[in-house]
Amino acid sequence: MAFAAVETGRRRRRQRQHAPTLREVAERAGVSTASASRALARPALVSADVHSKVLDAASALAYVPNASARALSSSRAELAGMVLPSDANPLTLRALRAFERDLGAADVGVLVAISSKARSAADCAHWLESRGAAAIALFGAMDTVGPVEVKHPCWAIVDLGFDRAVELAARYLHDLGHRRLCLVDEPAMGRSVQLLFALSDLVEVRIDSYDFRSVHPKEFGRQVVERWMALGADAPSALVCSSDLVGASVLRACLDHAIGVPRDVSLVAVGESGVATLTQPALTSIRIAAEDAGAAAARTILALLGDRTAVEARPGVKLVLRESCAAPR
């Protein structure tokens, strides 16, 4: 009897040692371990195909989930990551609010990393992955992520609509008769060469970069206007500013130098934080539906978490006519 009891105990230990693991289920199903876990614990987050493959693999291996591990994982929100530029503007912040709200409603927690000159967006994304983020949204970080990593299966670049907003501004100014424009921008924005190609058939565009974070708002407006004045006869007849705060600063500097807006130069601001309506004259602007961008980013992250194909969505842009633009003289 004692011998039989010992043999039975050994068999049980061998059975426990050879019990199939979640990793083996995932390998048999051809999915990641995280996807296999979601398919078993939260099937609504994965596609029907992934769910079916995981169930078939679990059945074939006679896999039985560990009850204590399952209880622990079910009490903990899944994690996503977001990378922000250090100079996030009001437009980005509005997108972030919608992004975090929609992920929170789906019980997905959010880890945040902020990129800088010393820490690229790609470095931030890798760090977030090491902390458990299963999918990552990069806000305004396209130019600091390599072309190969842009195609990373668990990273999503969030389109805030800036390029399309600038193009809409350029087309409006072209219709007014302007043929030479200047985009007043920040170095960290790093607007794409594709944008210049898109506008080259309409107008001549130059991009002037300023480090708006290092000086008082009134000072960077003065820098913009003094550089514009130094161009003399070659000065562009219209300025497209990267935010309404930048536009308001440029407008103030124009008034200080007795430059008429829109008599001598037209101004358009990209994005609205409420400042555009407070200036005199009020700034014509391009309104970007930033909340839509944040909500679309959240849907993309949820699709990546569920191994589903994300559908690209772009926020709407709309021209808001006010008083700062006119036909060139």
Side-chain angles (χ1 to χ4, degrees):
M1 293 293 292
F3 177 77
V6 170
E7 283 299 304
T8 300
R10 287 175 179 171
R11 281 197 298 271
R12 287 175 179 169
R13 283 195 295 272
R14 283 197 298 269
Q15 288 171 354
R16 285 197 296 269
Q17 290 169 357
H18 291 88
T21 65
L22 181 62
R23 182 184 296 276
E24 291 171 339
V25 172
E27 290 175 352
R28 186 180 182 93
V31 300
S32 67
T33 303
S35 295
S37 176
R38 286 191 290 269
L40 295 172
R42 302 172 67 190
L45 289 180
V46 300
S47 65
D49 181 53
V50 169
H51 187 218
S52 176
K53 288 179 179 179
V54 172
L55 289 183
D56 289 346
S59 176
L61 294 172
Y63 171 74
V64 178
N66 182 290
S68 59
R70 183 171 55 188
L72 177 62
S73 64
S74 64
S75 65
R76 183 173 57 209
E78 198 154 20
L79 289 177
M82 60 181 175
V83 178
L84 307 180
S86 58
D87 58 344
N89 57 29
L91 186 71
T92 305
L93 297 179
R94 290 207 303 273
L96 291 180
R97 283 197 293 269
F99 177 76
E100 190 171 19
R101 177 200 65 211
D102 290 0
L103 287 184
D107 197 28
V108 175
V110 179
L111 298 176
V112 181
I114 299 177
S115 63
S116 65
K117 291 180 180 179
R119 190 186 189 198
S120 72
D123 290 339
C124 289
H126 287 305
W127 180 84
L128 289 169
E129 287 182 324
S130 72
R131 295 301 185 273
I136 297 168
L138 298 100
F139 286 78
M142 174 68 81
D143 297 293
T144 53
V145 179
V148 174
E149 291 183 305
V150 167
K151 298 180 181 179
H152 190 291
C154 293
W155 296 5
I157 302 294
V158 180
D159 178 12
L160 292 177
F162 187 92
D163 282 5
R164 284 177 294 112
V166 172
E167 183 174 355
L168 178 58
R171 292 188 182 280
Y172 164 67
L173 292 167
H174 173 269
D175 290 344
L176 286 178
H178 296 274
R179 295 297 180 268
R180 186 177 296 162
L181 312 181
C182 177
L183 174 58
V184 180
D185 206 353
E186 303 172 56
M189 296 293 189
R191 301 307 169 196
S192 63
V193 174
Q194 289 86 347
L195 174 61
L196 298 183
F197 279 124
L199 301 178
S200 61
D201 62 329
L202 291 177
V203 291
E204 176 187 337
V205 180
R206 60 177 284 154
I207 298 181
D208 284 350
S209 295
Y210 300 85
D211 188 358
F212 298 137
R213 293 167 294 172
S214 64
V215 295
H216 188 276
K218 184 177 180 180
E219 176 64 17
F220 65 65
R222 183 188 63 78
Q223 292 178 9
V224 171
V225 170
E226 289 182 354
R227 186 183 296 185
W228 178 85
M229 293 172 63
L231 293 173
D234 294 327
S237 59
L239 303 177
V240 179
C241 301
S242 60
S243 72
D244 56 359
L245 177 60
V246 172
S249 178
V250 172
L251 175 59
R252 171 62 186 270
C254 285
L255 298 178
D256 289 345
H257 287 80
I259 298 170
V261 176
R263 183 194 65 212
D264 301 317
V265 64
S266 290
L267 297 181
V268 178
V270 174
E272 289 193 320
S273 65
V275 175
T277 59
L278 302 178
T279 60
Q280 183 60 40
L283 288 169
T284 290
S285 65
I286 307 297
R287 183 176 295 158
I288 300 176
E291 292 82 0
D292 291 350
R299 290 194 297 272
T300 298
I301 291 300
L302 291 174
L304 292 175
L305 289 174
D307 285 340
R308 296 190 297 268
T309 301
V311 178
E312 183 179 2
R314 294 182 173 184
V317 295
K318 179 182 179 181
L319 174 67
V320 182
L321 296 176
R322 295 193 179 95
E323 303 164 345
S324 61
C325 291
R329 294 196 301 172

